[in-house]
Amino acid sequence: MYYNLPDEKDAKRFPYRTVLQGPYSSIFNFKKTNDTPDVVKHIRIENKSLNATGVTLNQFVKLHKTISFAVIRNDSLLFEYYAGNYSATKNVTSFSIAKAYITMLVGIAIKEGYIKTVNDPITDYITEWKDKPGYNLITIKDLLRHTSGLKFTESVFNPESDQLQFYYGTTLRKNILASAIREPPGLHFDYQSENPSLLALILERTTGKTVSNYLQQKIWNQIGTEAPALWSTDRNDSAAIEKAFCCLNARTLDFAKFARLLLNKGNWNGKQIIPQQWIEESINRNTEQGGKISYGYNMGIGPVAYNSFYPIGLYGQLLYIYPAKNIIIVRFGNADINYNPNYWKEMMLQLIDQL
């Protein structure tokens, strides 16, 4: 607990691997305007104060420790905000948004034949568990949907939790493989950092690349990013592994480009980077075998009437994607002990209703 609560400064405290961007000539820029469109000027949001008249978007983004905020529609940047010393060229941290990157890399690895199917038992890849009873029943899909049945305490506020060991510890590989079974897989949804960490280990073993390097080759340098990303690791030596459950650090609008890739079903300006079927599968509402109707493969799923979906992270980090109106809303925030995921989902619905 030396560093107190997880926050934006952790990106500089922890060691990391660099995810390089593509060539300068490939940079993609969202279209900007010097004038704020009328539709944005007229937005009113009923925030936590329950003010009946609502607050403007300009007022709203200054609340709740917001660091950066962007609204994009049809590739046009309708609204952009950075707090204090933050700017378009300064990195923000993803927290659990990083889990969606792991999901998309798994889809690419399946396409490339490194992983056979989502129904493979994880013991095909985590051979240390091959002879341990029950582990062979857990599948890749269980890890993606958080229905693995593994025992893990997920709390950044509890000093005795497994999450704190994963986040601050320097023996992540050992900790990942120390997980015990709490119940058979496919019974209940249990959101935990163990699941994407196992997926990262499987990606590393099957592709022969670090997760950062695989991300760089398959996504990051393919989508017009303008700067490198930094993925925090548990240590600074050859035994290091990425904190796959969190801690991808990059510029706000480079995160938005990943959202644009998801919005376009994995296609980037005519090039299919992620299989369309994989993205559709990732946001499929399925409550069978412990699944959650509002959560797919490491991504939240909005109400049926909207068909929106969103990689989401601690403190209200959001890549909110609304395909019906071709809208992306990007929001990053700093440490906030009053963080409420449902509040942020409600705010996004208020916004897309008015755009």
Side-chain angles (χ1 to χ4, degrees):
M1 292 297 290
Y2 175 78
Y3 294 127
N4 203 4
L5 291 177
D7 62 22
E8 281 287 312
K9 296 178 182 177
D10 290 344
K12 295 182 179 179
R13 291 170 176 148
F14 298 144
Y16 59 83
R17 287 184 174 133
T18 302
V19 183
L20 294 176
Q21 77 278 30
Y24 178 81
S25 60
S26 70
I27 292 176
F28 174 84
N29 292 306
F30 293 104
K31 292 174 283 189
K32 295 188 179 183
T33 176
N34 293 326
D35 299 316
T36 302
D38 286 341
V39 67
V40 174
K41 290 179 182 177
H42 294 152
I43 285 175
R44 295 293 183 272
I45 302 168
E46 293 183 359
N47 68 336
K48 287 181 179 178
S49 69
L50 299 178
N51 184 338
T53 59
V55 297
T56 67
L57 188 54
N58 278 324
Q59 294 169 319
F60 176 71
V61 295
K62 294 178 174 65
L63 303 174
H64 316 310
K65 301 186 178 181
T66 297
I67 288 172
S68 64
F69 201 102
V71 178
I72 299 161
R73 186 176 64 186
N74 296 327
D75 286 341
S76 291
L77 189 59
L78 304 185
F79 183 89
E80 188 177 16
Y81 166 82
Y82 300 95
N85 295 324
Y86 285 87
S87 69
T89 59
K90 186 169 182 178
N91 282 358
V92 292
T93 192
S94 66
F95 292 113
S96 288
I97 283 176
K99 293 180 175 71
Y101 285 82
I102 292 294
T103 291
M104 295 307 135
L105 292 179
V106 169
I108 293 171
I110 291 173
K111 177 190 175 184
E112 295 185 332
Y114 292 116
I115 297 171
K116 293 177 185 176
T117 73
V118 292
N119 297 314
D120 288 352
I122 62 171
T123 49
D124 285 358
Y125 309 97
I126 309 295
T127 55
E128 295 88 338
W129 290 349
K130 205 166 188 67
D131 297 324
K132 292 186 175 182
Y135 288 89
N136 64 309
L137 301 177
I138 304 170
T139 65
I140 299 287
K141 182 182 283 188
D142 287 318
L143 300 182
L144 290 163
R145 301 172 75 218
H146 295 273
T147 57
S148 64
L150 292 169
K151 184 179 179 181
F152 191 91
T153 50
E154 179 84 17
S155 173
V156 295
F157 306 113
N158 178 358
E160 297 182 357
S161 72
D162 296 318
Q163 175 68 14
L164 262 290
Q165 294 296 323
F166 271 44
Y167 191 78
Y168 291 112
T170 58
T171 57
L172 187 51
R173 291 181 184 276
K174 178 181 176 181
N175 291 342
I176 292 170
L177 294 173
S179 187
I181 293 176
R182 188 189 74 251
E183 65 181 18
L187 296 182
H188 302 103
F189 174 89
D190 183 20
Y191 183 84
Q192 54 177 252
S193 296
E194 170 74 5
N195 295 318
S197 297
L198 282 165
L199 290 172
L201 195 59
I202 290 169
L203 284 168
E204 186 183 79
R205 291 180 176 185
T206 56
T207 67
K209 299 177 175 65
T210 66
V211 171
S212 294
N213 187 255
Y214 199 50
L215 173 63
Q216 174 180 305
Q217 291 183 20
K218 300 302 175 182
I219 296 177
W220 199 257
N221 66 12
Q222 304 289 316
I223 58 173
T225 50
E226 62 185 32
L230 310 176
W231 206 325
S232 298
T233 59
D234 63 330
R235 52 199 292 163
N236 195 20
D237 60 19
S238 59
I241 189 169
E242 289 83 355
K243 299 178 185 183
F245 53 92
C246 74
C247 311
L248 182 65
N249 311 288
R251 296 183 181 183
T252 298
L253 293 184
D254 279 346
F255 277 116
K257 291 165 190 175
F258 177 66
R260 181 182 186 266
L261 180 66
L262 299 182
L263 173 70
N264 291 304
K265 300 290 184 68
N267 190 287
W268 188 266
N269 297 341
K271 181 179 181 181
Q272 199 68 38
I273 293 174
I274 304 166
Q276 177 176 336
Q277 179 274 334
W278 179 252
I279 293 181
E280 292 172 349
E281 182 177 334
S282 297
I283 56 175
N284 182 39
R285 302 173 190 280
N286 191 334
T287 58
E288 295 176 2
Q289 297 180 315
K292 190 174 181 181
I293 195 169
S294 60
Y295 201 83
Y297 291 174
N298 284 311
M299 286 189 290
I301 306 173
V304 174
Y306 293 90
N307 283 322
S308 52
F309 59 99
Y310 46 91
I312 185 171
L314 186 67
Y315 306 140
Q317 324 300 63
L318 272 164
L319 304 180
Y320 201 92
I321 299 159
Y322 184 32
K325 293 185 181 179
N326 214 28
I327 289 172
I328 296 165
I329 302 174
V330 180
R331 191 269 177 183
F332 288 88
N334 211 340
D336 183 358
I337 60 173
N338 294 314
Y339 165 58
N340 183 332
N342 289 328
Y343 169 77
W344 285 107
K345 288 184 277 187
E346 167 62 25
M347 293 306 100
M348 294 301 111
L349 292 179
Q350 287 191 38
L351 278 170
I352 63 175
D353 268 348
Q354 298 176 69
L355 284 168

